[in-house]
Amino acid sequence: VTRSHSSQTGRYSTIWPTGLKKPAAPSHAAGGETVNKQFNILFLCTGYSCRSQMAEGWAKWYGQPLFDIHSAGIEAHGNNPRAIEVMKQAGIDISEQESTKVSDEMLKQADLVITVCGHADEHCPVLPADTKKIHWPLDNPAKAEGSEEEIMDIFRTSRDDIRKCVKDLLQHLREDISE
């Protein structure tokens, strides 16, 4: 899967994966109740402080209950207050999300892993054979320089780019899963 940014149009384009796992058929848990497995999406970044947290926030907003959404980092750098603030401005509260280091269990449960930065893409742990991976080369707003307002504008732009990516992804997955 590739995702590229056009400097001419200012837009991202994505080639989507094919053959994604469909959620398992309903099964019965102890006690006889029916259990449906949700399609599990994991957003992965280097430090899990900005881009993956915003992606998780948008994906939970747009994707539940059909999708089980998680995010993590190759490392855990803590939550970025600017990311929390710009998401709050858009009506999404990510303040309770924990900065979490990716675990083998998270990777094992993921149907789809989306790396949101080059470092995470290059250092992504080995994935199970039936787990798909997409890479989104998103700019890191945490590296922005300038006045506070200029930096917040960069965070807002990043937030809006991530929102578009997530909406497009979930629409594609809904179509693929329903086929």
Side-chain angles (χ1 to χ4, degrees):
V1 173
T2 58
R3 181 153 179 79
S4 61
H5 185 266
S6 168
S7 58
Q8 292 176 337
T9 66
R11 296 179 182 247
Y12 286 95
S13 62
T14 303
I15 299 171
W16 298 105
T18 57
L20 292 171
K21 294 190 290 191
K22 294 181 177 22
S27 60
H28 296 283
E33 66 271 9
T34 300
V35 177
N36 288 316
K37 181 191 181 300
Q38 295 171 302
F39 189 88
N40 187 301
I41 301 170
L42 173 64
F43 294 97
L44 187 62
C45 198
T46 299
Y48 184 56
S49 67
C50 293
R51 293 163 286 185
S52 56
Q53 288 213 6
M54 288 191 275
E56 178 183 359
W58 284 123
K60 285 181 174 177
W61 178 258
Y62 289 117
Q64 290 182 333
L66 184 58
F67 302 101
D68 187 19
I69 310 297
H70 302 276
S71 62
I74 303 294
E75 305 161 4
H77 292 174
N79 298 346
N80 186 299
R82 290 179 177 130
I84 293 169
E85 176 60 29
V86 298
M87 290 297 287
K88 182 179 175 184
Q89 292 170 3
I92 308 292
D93 182 7
I94 63 170
S95 64
E96 298 298 316
Q97 292 176 194
E98 297 288 327
S99 184
T100 306
K101 188 173 176 180
V102 69
S103 69
D104 289 340
E105 186 62 26
M106 294 171 94
L107 295 170
K108 181 177 156 186
Q109 294 200 9
D111 297 304
L112 177 64
V113 173
I114 302 168
T115 56
V116 296
C117 68
H119 183 265
D121 185 43
E122 293 167 11
H123 295 90
C124 184
V126 175
L127 301 175
D130 58 349
T131 300
K132 301 292 184 182
K133 186 178 98 167
I134 296 174
H135 175 60
W136 293 346
L138 299 170
D139 293 331
N140 186 356
K143 294 191 184 270
E145 295 179 351
S147 68
E148 185 61 22
E149 189 55 36
E150 291 168 332
I151 293 170
M152 289 302 286
D153 283 343
I154 291 168
F155 268 82
R156 287 183 199 97
T157 298
S158 181
R159 174 201 65 202
D160 296 344
D161 287 345
I162 293 167
R163 179 182 188 173
K164 168 107 175 64
C165 292
V166 167
K167 282 182 78 172
D168 290 349
L169 169 75
L170 295 179
Q171 178 61 39
H172 174 78
L173 291 175
R174 280 186 182 100
E175 292 167 5
D176 193 55
I177 289 171
S178 67
E179 292 176 356

